[in-house]
Amino acid sequence: MAAALVPKSESRRALAAQLKRLEARSDADAELLVELRSFLRDRARIDEEYGRALEKLSRTYMARKLKRGPTLVRDGAGKGAPTAAAAPRKDGGSAPHFVSDDGHVRPMYEVYLTMVTECERAGRSAITAAERMASGLTESLKDYHRLKTSTSKKAIEYATKYHQNLFTVFEELDRTKAVYEKAAKEAESARRRYDDVVRKPNSGLNAIKNMMSRGDGDDRVDKLQKKWEAATQSLATCRNDYLLALEAANAMQNRYYNTDLADLMT
């Protein structure tokens, strides 16, 4: 069964609109990647400032000396016995801790010290995360943006070339259709002339035509029959060419919409 006729004018408009949408989508993706990279870069700067502010806050309070109560020691040196919270460090020293003459430090001081030291640790973590975001993630997005832009450009070029090939197929379809329609008219005209002579071989008009062609009616019937048969054979050939062109146009268009267009949009 023959495929449906491809509406060339509508296809041209649809393909042109799709190409514009593909270009707009590519531009929108590129814009979003630029905005995302800018956002992460600003976020990293803010996080780094926040982390350094936390470190500064922690160190400021670590440097303060309480007028009353135990003494805060940062490097493990100091008088008195250290508390149980003074865990050893990798460098051989101990973590910041309170010391007192009697070796007893109330829990509330330990809670305070934990909050101050965790503040410094959170600051360092924020700075590390900000540095990774600024140097790692934003650079990866920059590379991805470059790759995305290049890929989109190639996709647009491929789509443009594909559309040109489709238009060429549509033009060939129009050409074969015009040839087929002309052949159909010629075959129908030859058939009518042959039928007219067969039905009324000795009518006045046919007699005049026989005289002008200097032949009898049978010769003219044979000539018209051969012309009709030749026109019919030509019509069959033109019809096959048109159906093949129609099938090729629809197959190419279906592949574009069902496969290639989806690939271009990924």
Side-chain angles (χ1 to χ4, degrees):
M1 183 175 65
L5 178 63
V6 179
K8 186 184 70 172
S9 59
E10 294 182 9
S11 294
R12 282 183 177 271
R13 289 193 295 269
L15 292 174
Q18 288 168 9
L19 190 59
K20 289 183 179 180
R21 285 195 292 269
L22 286 174
E23 292 175 342
R25 175 172 176 168
S26 175
D27 292 341
D29 290 346
E31 181 185 27
L32 180 60
L33 287 174
V34 170
E35 287 298 304
L36 178 59
R37 183 167 178 262
S38 177
F39 166 77
L40 292 176
R41 189 167 52 243
D42 290 342
R43 168 68 186 274
R45 176 180 53 79
I46 293 173
D47 284 352
E48 183 178 5
E49 293 174 354
Y50 171 69
R52 296 195 184 284
L54 288 180
E55 280 190 326
K56 181 179 179 180
L57 176 65
S58 176
R59 290 168 183 172
T60 297
Y61 278 83
M62 282 286 190
R64 290 188 179 185
K65 294 183 179 181
L66 299 176
K67 296 180 180 180
R68 292 169 292 276
T71 301
L72 178 60
V73 180
R74 296 192 61 184
D75 56 4
K79 65 178 182 178
T83 63
R89 297 182 309 193
K90 294 181 179 180
D91 58 5
S94 60
H97 59 279
F98 282 105
V99 296
S100 62
D101 294 336
D102 59 3
H104 176 70
V105 178
R106 288 187 294 168
M108 60 183 299
Y109 288 97
E110 301 291 353
V111 173
Y112 165 76
L113 179 59
T114 299
M115 294 178 65
V116 174
T117 54
E118 286 299 320
C119 179
E120 183 178 14
R121 185 177 293 108
R124 288 198 300 268
S125 297
I127 293 173
T128 300
E131 291 174 347
R132 290 177 179 174
M133 184 181 297
S135 62
L137 188 55
T138 57
E139 289 302 314
S140 296
L141 282 175
K142 181 179 179 180
D143 294 338
Y144 180 69
H145 175 264
R146 187 184 299 109
L147 176 62
K148 182 71 173 178
T149 301
S150 176
T151 303
S152 298
K153 182 180 179 181
K154 292 179 180 179
I156 296 299
E157 292 175 352
Y158 175 79
T160 302
K161 185 176 181 181
Y162 202 113
H163 290 180
Q164 292 173 349
N165 292 336
L166 276 174
F167 296 153
T168 300
V169 171
F170 293 154
E171 290 172 357
E172 177 64 15
L173 176 63
D174 285 345
R175 187 191 68 79
T176 56
K177 180 183 178 182
V179 172
Y180 167 63
E181 291 176 345
K182 181 181 179 181
K185 292 179 181 179
E186 292 175 350
E188 178 62 20
S189 176
R191 185 191 64 79
R192 286 198 303 267
R193 288 196 299 269
Y194 172 74
D195 289 346
D196 183 59
V197 172
V198 171
R199 286 196 304 268
K200 301 176 181 179
N202 298 318
S203 64
L205 179 59
N206 287 326
I208 294 174
K209 291 181 178 179
N210 291 335
M211 292 176 60
M212 293 178 63
S213 61
R214 297 180 181 182
D216 57 18
D218 292 338
D219 291 339
R220 189 161 179 268
V221 169
D222 291 339
K223 290 180 180 180
L224 291 176
Q225 183 178 7
K226 291 179 179 179
K227 287 183 178 180
W228 177 35
E229 292 174 350
T232 301
Q233 182 63 38
S234 176
L235 174 61
T237 301
C238 293
R239 180 178 182 276
N240 291 335
D241 291 342
Y242 171 58
L243 290 178
L244 288 175
L246 180 61
E247 191 68 26
N250 278 300
M252 190 171 184
Q253 182 172 249
N254 290 337
R255 177 181 174 181
Y256 173 75
Y257 282 107
N258 297 331
T259 304
D260 295 327
L261 183 59
D263 294 338
L264 291 172
M265 296 177 65
T266 55

